[in-house]
Amino acid sequence: MDRRELADFLRSRRERIAPADVGLPAGSRRRTPGLRREEVAQLAFISTEYYTRLEQARAPHPSREVLAQLARALRLSDAERTHLHHLAGAPPGPPPGPTREVRQSIVDLLHRLPNAAATVISATFEIIAWNDLAAALMEDFSALPRADRNLVRRAFLGPHRDGRRLYGVSDVTEFARNSAQQLRAAAARYPDDPELNGLIRELLDGSAEFARLWAAHDVTPAPTLVKTFDHPVVGPVTVNCDVLDLADRDQRVVIYTATPGTPSEEALRLLSVLGTQRLDVPGRTVTPPTRPSRSR
């Protein structure tokens, strides 16, 4: 434990947080920028005396629980949290579960892709961010409970709307196999995550297909580069599927684009206009995209 470096690090993190950032009044008699020591102690649920001794490099070794509480109170990033643990002589263990927090820059990126349907998927296959075209192509995820936004659960357990399994994608069998493999790898990375373990139990109990794939212990999925969505309004939409790994958060950005000049590109363009409005109401008709004529 490097007491002096730990003390300096805690002080520097404390001084960068404005009281308003944590819902505290600024007051008019603050001698130093940022939070007071007693405010950090209060937010971390530890005594002011103990926190003061930490900043004075006089405290005994803090427990992992105290370090976690300090990291939360000081709003540390993942890298800062790891640094805090190392300074305290207690290297962090594996994270309890995959994060669902998406960087704002990634969210902004999704909405700057007007001609592409894009989502962010967590390590457990939950869709945690999406753009408007992705919602139009697949489903309005904002209207769904969290459980129904999990693609692996949808693939194996449903619901299968209009008899279409997972939006009628052409590679649903391959996706099911790959997702089971990737879920097994995620279970090894997050063995203590109760939500992930609950999802696996639910899938094992509810799907014989998943149980068979899970028993195979395979962990090397094959990539899918092209797939076709069977859309109920515009018909089949064939898209290229590109996946960008966000390694620091164990997330993936999935981008669906159509080949220029194809009917699928026209279909995506139409969906970008129609959005997620219901199109199956009586009296409403939609003209599907025309296929280019072939010269003889």
Side-chain angles (χ1 to χ4, degrees), residues 95-124:
T99 180
R100 299 180 63 255
E101 181 181 354
V102 182
R103 285 200 305 269
Q104 186 59 46
S105 59
I106 297 298
V107 175
D108 293 341
L109 172 64
L110 264 56
H111 293 289
R112 290 179 182 138
L113 299 172
N115 299 320
T119 64
V120 178
I121 301 179
S122 74
T124 62

Side-chain angles (χ1 to χ4, degrees), residues 5-266:
E5 283 293 325
L6 176 61
D8 292 343
F9 181 66
L10 289 173
R11 185 180 306 108
S12 69
R13 301 305 89 175
R14 171 173 62 84
E15 291 178 349
R16 72 175 184 174
I17 301 177
D21 293 338
V22 293
L24 295 174
S28 58
R29 295 187 176 181
R30 289 183 176 268
R31 298 179 179 178
T32 59
L35 299 178
R36 298 187 177 103
R37 288 173 177 172
E38 59 267 26
E39 291 170 337
V40 174
Q42 180 183 3
L43 292 170
F45 301 103
I46 60 177
S47 72
T48 300
E49 179 185 1
Y50 180 64
Y51 181 76
T52 299
R53 293 175 67 189
L54 280 172
E55 281 204 7
Q56 293 174 345
R58 297 189 298 111
H61 195 294
S63 67
R64 289 182 181 272
E65 181 180 4
V66 167
L67 292 172
Q69 292 168 177
L70 285 170
R72 183 174 57 252
L74 294 170
R75 299 191 167 193
L76 301 186
S77 66
D78 290 343
E80 290 170 333
R81 186 180 298 109
T82 298
H83 185 58
L84 173 68
H85 276 265
H86 283 293
L87 290 177
T99 180
R100 299 180 63 255
E101 181 181 354
V102 182
R103 285 200 305 269
Q104 186 59 46
S105 59
I106 297 298
V107 175
D108 293 341
L109 172 64
L110 264 56
H111 293 289
R112 290 179 182 138
L113 299 172
N115 299 320
T119 64
V120 178
I121 301 179
S122 74
T124 62
F125 282 86
E126 179 184 348
I127 292 185
I128 51 180
W130 58 90
N131 64 8
D132 292 340
L133 188 51
L137 177 64
M138 290 178 275
E139 192 163 7
D140 183 3
F141 301 110
S142 65
L144 299 178
R146 271 191 62 196
D148 285 352
R149 292 203 296 265
N150 187 287
L151 295 182
V152 72
R153 181 186 278 112
R154 292 290 295 268
F156 289 101
L157 303 179
H160 304 316
R161 303 192 189 285
D162 303 321
R164 297 178 306 131
R165 185 183 181 191
L166 199 63
Y167 314 114
V169 292
S170 57
D171 65 331
V172 65
T173 301
E174 181 182 1
F175 173 85
R177 180 176 67 252
N178 292 349
S179 64
Q181 295 172 2
Q182 293 185 51
L183 203 63
R184 179 171 281 284
R189 295 195 299 275
Y190 308 105
D192 300 322
D193 181 23
E195 188 170 315
L196 174 55
N197 290 330
L199 171 63
I200 293 170
R201 287 193 300 269
E202 182 183 356
L203 291 167
L204 288 172
D205 292 341
S207 171
E209 179 187 7
F210 180 84
R212 175 179 56 80
L213 292 168
W214 189 257
H217 288 266
D218 293 331
V219 293
T220 308
T224 298
L225 302 180
V226 179
K227 66 174 63 184
T228 299
F229 287 85
D230 180 18
H231 196 276
V233 174
V234 300
V237 183
T238 300
V239 291
N240 303 304
C241 179
D242 293 289
V243 180
L244 309 178
D245 286 324
L246 305 177
D248 62 320
R249 302 210 172 190
D250 204 0
Q251 298 169 351
R252 283 164 290 154
V253 179
V254 184
I255 302 174
Y256 302 110
T257 56
T259 301
T262 64
S264 291
E265 184 189 35
E266 296 179 35

